[in-house]
């Protein structure tokens, strides 16, 4: 059997057997959250040297049944107390839970199972060897969060189950939401206001308070510094969850009192439900940019054609879009922080990525500038999907009437003072007007008007600004710009309609004269020249 040693940062492939290099101990704590593991490791180092031995381990390393069996044989079967800080239902770790329940009966172990999130799971807790009330009391230490509560959590395990003489103090409340200032454990908004630049836009930065408790703030510190360098006033808020009414109210109050122009959110999931007909906005009409903190390491991300892992995409991209958040990019990746000898575990933390943070900072600056413009001065582009790229599939969407939705959006924009002219009466008329010009259908290119176009000379100057590797890849795949089929009279044809300062365009085809599957689904298909010309033109308009 091929074994891999567990490494800090990144997701462990569920098909790989992983060995956790640890000696047996009295207490073993398993958690799916790296912030919880970091908090417990720091707490363990504060305990007396003669305190019962402790091991911690990430459930992400124990996704394979063989990995679980190996850890049971080498570590878990020797433990006196086993704690599982689980996230999700039983099905997420069914084999592991089954093994632990059986193990606790065979070896007379104390087994505590509870859900690490705020959703109660009575079925999970019922499999513990202690009453659910005791599980709930212990869980409160982790839910309240904070370094002191983590210490008392460990003392409670030792006192209640291993005859440790010191009695634990009860869980102490840790603020559900607090303004964060680097290097300080507690502060208020005044510390930031003293540094703010007069009349500069205020940008709220939202992250989980568990990162603050675990000392996992390097990525946020770098982001805050970037915002300040770019002339924006940061307002960082560490909170428990945006689903918590109190946390949400604190955010909304701060945004209102300090005229926040933009919210940069790093929390996962969504506040609205998928079936909510009218989800409430996070904070009025303030744009919310969703920033990802990758749960994987940078090397894995760089080598993966899909970029982020399915887990990251689900929790940090797909679900936040339900709230109408504007997705940006990952600004950090997990990497090794240090090895805790007391718990014999390699801790990981979020490591900032300077280039990607700079991108988000510049994007934030532009959103703040856009917010200051009068509606009549703003230029807006609505790009309709065209997949597959036939005329009968313009705006295609299962269960959706995209053209009608576009008309509704255009009418709403006009009512708010945007510069709009000649809005079609309905979706059918919109499609008819689009088909009067060139579309993605090659049959239309020679016979129809191109209502807008880009000269080869302009395109070439923009193309030259791309990195050399990117230019080389485009030319190797598609030849030079003169061979592109959407070039007519030395100009790239742009599909769409200009209605005042609002443009309604068609998603350009990702390729031509190749297998349709490759056109629509290939993750590494290099875009052709006309595709680039379309987006260069949008950028310059």
């Amino acid at each position: 059997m091929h074994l891999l040693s567990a490494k800090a940062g990144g997701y462990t492939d569920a098909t790989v057997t992983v060995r956790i290099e640890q000696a047996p101990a009295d207490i073993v704590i398993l958690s799916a959250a790296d912030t919880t593991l970091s908090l417990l490791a720091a707490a363990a180092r504060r305990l007396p040297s003669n305190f019962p031995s402790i091991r911690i381990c990430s459930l992400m390393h124990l996704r394979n049944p063989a990995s679980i069996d190996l850890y049971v044989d080498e570590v878990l079967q020797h433990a006196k107390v086993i704690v599982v800080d689980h996230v999700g239902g039983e099905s997420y770790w069914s084999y592991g839970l089954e093994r632990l329940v059986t193990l606790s009966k065979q070896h007379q172990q104390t087994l505590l199972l509870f859900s690490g999130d705020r959703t109660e799971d009575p079925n999970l807790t019922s499999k513990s060897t202690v009453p659910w009330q005791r599980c709930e009391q212990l869980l409160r230490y982790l839910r309240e969060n904070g370094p002191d509560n983590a210490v008392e959590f460990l003392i409670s395990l030792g006192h209640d189950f291993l005859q440790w003489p010191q009695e634990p103090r009860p869980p102490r409340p840790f603020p559900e939401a607090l303004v964060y200032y680097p290097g300080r454990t507690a502060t208020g908004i005044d510390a930031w206001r003293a540094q703010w630049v007069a009349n500069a836009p205020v940008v709220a930065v939202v992250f989980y308070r568990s990162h603050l408790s675990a000392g996992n703030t390097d990525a946020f510190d770098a982001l805050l510094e970037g915002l300040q360098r770019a002339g924006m006033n940061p307002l960082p808020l560490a909170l428990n969850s945006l689903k918590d009414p109190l946390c949400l109210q604190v955010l909304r109050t701060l945004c209102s009192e300090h005229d926040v122009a933009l919210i940069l959110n790093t929390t996962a999931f969504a506040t609205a439900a998928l079936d909510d007909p009218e989800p409430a906005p996070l904070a009025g009409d303030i744009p919310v940019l969703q920033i990802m903190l990758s749960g994987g390491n940078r090397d894995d991300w760089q080598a993966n054609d899909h970029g982020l892992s399915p887990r990251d995409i689900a929790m940090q991209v797909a679900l936040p879009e339900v709230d109408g958040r504007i997705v940006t990019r990952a600004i950090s990746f997990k990497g090794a922080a240090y090895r805790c000898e007391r718990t014999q575990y390699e801790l990981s933390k979020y490591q900032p990525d300077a280039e990607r943070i700079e991108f988000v900072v510049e994007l934030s600056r532009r959103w703040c500038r856009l917010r200051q413009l009068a509606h009549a001065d703003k230029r807006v582009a609505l790009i309709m999907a065209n997949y597959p790229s036939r005329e009968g599939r313009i705006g295609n969407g299962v269960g959706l009437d995209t053209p009608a939705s576009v008309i509704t959006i255009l009418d709403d924009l006009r009512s708010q003072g945007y510069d709009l002219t000649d809005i079609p009466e309905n979706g059918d008329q919109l499609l008819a007007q689009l088909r009067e010009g060139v579309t993605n259908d090659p049959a239309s290119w020679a016979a129809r008007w191109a209502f807008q176009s880009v000269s080869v000379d302009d395109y070439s100057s923009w193309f030259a600004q791309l990195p050399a590797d990117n230019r080389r890849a485009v030319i190797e795949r598609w030849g030079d710009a003169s061979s592109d089929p959407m070039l007519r009279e030395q100009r790239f044809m742009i599909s769409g309609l200009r209605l005042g300062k609002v443009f309604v365009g068609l998603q350009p085809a990702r390729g031509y004269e190749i297998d349709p599957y490759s056109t629509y689904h290939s993750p590494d298909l290099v875009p052709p020249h006309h595709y680039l010309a379309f987006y260069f033109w949008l950028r310059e308009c």
Side-chain angles (χ1 to χ4, degrees):
M1 177 172 61
H2 181 61
L3 299 179
L4 293 179
S5 296
K7 64 178 181 178
Y11 293 110
T12 302
D13 189 337
T15 65
V16 174
T17 301
V18 176
R19 182 172 187 266
I20 312 297
E21 298 178 355
Q22 292 178 343
D26 299 317
I27 300 172
V28 180
I29 305 171
L30 308 177
S31 176
D34 281 342
T35 50
T36 298
L37 295 172
S38 296
L39 191 65
L40 293 174
R45 298 200 301 276
R46 294 170 57 184
L47 296 174
S49 59
N50 60 335
F51 190 83
S53 54
I54 302 170
R55 302 290 178 262
I56 61 175
C57 181
S58 172
L59 287 169
M60 294 296 101
H61 293 320
L62 301 174
R63 302 173 64 201
N64 181 297
S67 301
I68 296 171
D69 291 339
L70 190 61
Y71 195 57
V72 167
D73 292 342
E74 295 186 346
V75 180
L76 290 175
Q77 69 167 329
H78 306 288
K80 297 175 183 177
V81 179
I82 299 175
V83 181
V84 180
D85 175 38
H86 190 48
V87 176
E90 285 186 77
S91 62
Y92 285 87
W93 203 56
S94 57
Y95 181 76
L97 295 174
E98 180 183 334
R99 284 297 321 264
L100 291 186
V101 169
T102 301
L103 192 70
S104 66
K105 294 176 181 177
Q106 291 174 342
H107 295 270
Q108 312 304 301
Q109 296 168 313
T110 298
L111 177 63
L112 300 108
L113 305 173
F114 42 70
S115 178
D117 56 24
R118 296 230 161 190
T119 303
E120 299 290 348
D121 189 345
N123 191 46
L124 181 66
T125 308
S126 67
K127 298 182 185 301
S128 302
T129 61
V130 299
W132 69 267
Q133 296 94 332
R134 191 70 194 95
C135 288
E136 177 64 21
Q137 186 176 358
L138 281 163
L139 178 57
R140 274 199 60 210
Y141 285 109
L142 299 183
R143 283 185 172 174
E144 291 294 346
N145 212 288
D148 292 338
N149 282 324
V151 171
E152 299 304 325
F153 170 77
L154 296 177
I155 291 175
S156 184
L157 292 177
H159 177 270
D160 293 355
F161 307 116
L162 297 172
Q163 291 78 52
W164 179 252
Q166 180 181 347
E167 290 192 11
R169 292 176 293 184
R172 286 176 287 181
F174 191 72
E176 294 289 301
L178 66 161
V179 173
Y180 165 68
Y181 193 94
R184 302 186 188 180
T185 55
T187 188
I189 190 65
D190 290 342
W192 280 109
R193 293 186 65 179
Q195 295 187 23
W196 283 356
V197 176
N199 301 319
V202 178
V203 178
V205 178
V206 181
F207 60 93
Y208 287 121
R209 66 172 186 171
S210 57
H211 294 301
L212 179 58
S213 299
N216 190 22
T217 61
D218 289 355
F220 310 118
D221 293 347
L223 178 60
L224 298 174
E225 291 173 4
L227 292 172
Q228 287 183 299
R229 285 196 305 271
M232 290 169 276
N233 295 328
L235 198 173
L237 180 66
L239 46 72
N240 177 57
S241 170
L242 286 173
K243 291 185 177 182
D244 185 314
L246 173 62
C247 294
L248 191 57
Q249 186 55 50
V250 169
L251 173 62
R252 289 172 172 168
T253 299
L254 286 172
C255 288
S256 175
E257 290 180 351
H258 302 287
D259 195 22
V260 168
L262 184 70
I263 298 174
L264 303 182
N265 179 64
T266 68
T267 69
F269 305 102
T271 59
L274 288 170
D275 57 355
D276 191 342
E278 292 187 15
L282 201 59
D285 66 344
I286 301 174
V288 182
L289 303 190
Q290 180 70 23
I291 300 172
M292 283 71 76
L293 307 174
S294 174
N297 61 60
R298 199 182 196 287
D299 290 341
D300 291 344
W301 168 80
Q302 189 74 47
N304 187 351
D305 286 342
H306 297 284
L308 296 175
S309 71
R311 179 187 177 94
D312 281 341
I313 291 173
M315 295 194 301
Q316 301 192 62
V317 178
L319 288 175
E321 285 184 334
V322 175
D323 289 344
R325 302 180 203 166
I326 303 161
V327 174
T328 60
R329 56 177 59 181
I331 64 166
S332 69
F333 301 89
K334 281 186 180 177
Y338 67 95
R339 176 174 174 81
C340 175
E341 295 301 334
R342 186 72 183 265
T343 60
Q344 295 186 7
Y345 189 71
E346 293 281 348
L347 278 302
S348 67
K349 67 187 303 184
Y350 289 110
Q351 299 177 340
D353 186 290
E355 182 273 332
R356 300 177 75 77
I357 287 176
E358 200 59 37
F359 174 91
V360 171
V361 167
E362 175 60 17
L363 186 64
S364 301
R365 186 191 67 79
R366 295 187 183 197
W367 271 98
C368 289
R369 175 183 175 276
L370 185 65
R371 190 168 174 81
Q372 294 172 343
L373 287 177
H375 288 337
D377 296 328
K378 295 177 182 177
R379 297 181 181 273
V380 179
L382 303 178
I383 308 303
M384 298 176 65
N386 192 186
Y387 164 83
S389 55
R390 299 191 296 269
E391 286 197 349
R393 293 301 187 97
I394 293 176
N396 181 46
V398 177
L400 303 175
D401 189 340
T402 304
S405 297
V406 171
I407 297 300
T408 300
I409 293 171
L410 294 175
D411 287 338
D412 185 54
L413 290 174
R414 181 167 57 184
S415 71
Q416 294 184 44
Y418 285 79
D419 185 347
L420 262 161
T421 58
D422 302 322
I423 298 177
E425 293 182 3
N426 51 50
D428 290 339
Q429 188 179 96
L430 172 64
L431 291 177
Q433 290 186 23
L434 286 169
R435 293 190 187 110
E436 290 177 3
V438 295
T439 63
N440 287 318
D441 184 356
S444 71
W445 295 343
R448 297 183 189 170
W449 293 100
F451 297 129
Q452 46 276 316
S453 62
V454 174
S455 73
V456 171
D457 290 342
D458 285 342
Y459 170 77
S460 297
S461 66
W462 298 328
F463 184 74
Q465 298 171 20
L466 295 177
D469 288 345
N470 297 78
R471 300 197 306 269
R472 187 181 305 110
V474 173
I475 293 172
E476 288 178 355
R477 180 61 185 83
W478 302 105
D480 60 38
S482 63
S483 62
D484 194 282
M486 286 202 76
L487 194 65
R488 188 167 72 188
E489 296 181 4
Q490 297 301 297
R491 301 188 72 86
F492 285 99
M493 299 176 284
I494 304 296
S495 302
L497 299 172
R498 277 188 284 190
L499 309 172
K501 291 182 180 176
V502 177
F503 173 70
V504 180
L506 301 184
Q507 169 194 5
R510 295 187 64 215
Y512 51 87
E513 297 178 358
I514 59 175
D515 175 67
Y517 182 87
S518 296
T519 303
Y520 306 140
H521 302 290
S522 174
D524 56 359
L525 178 64
V526 177
H529 292 283
H530 70 257
Y531 190 99
L532 296 172
F534 182 89
Y535 288 105
F536 284 146
W537 178 82
L538 279 181
R539 182 191 66 184
E540 296 300 317
C541 282

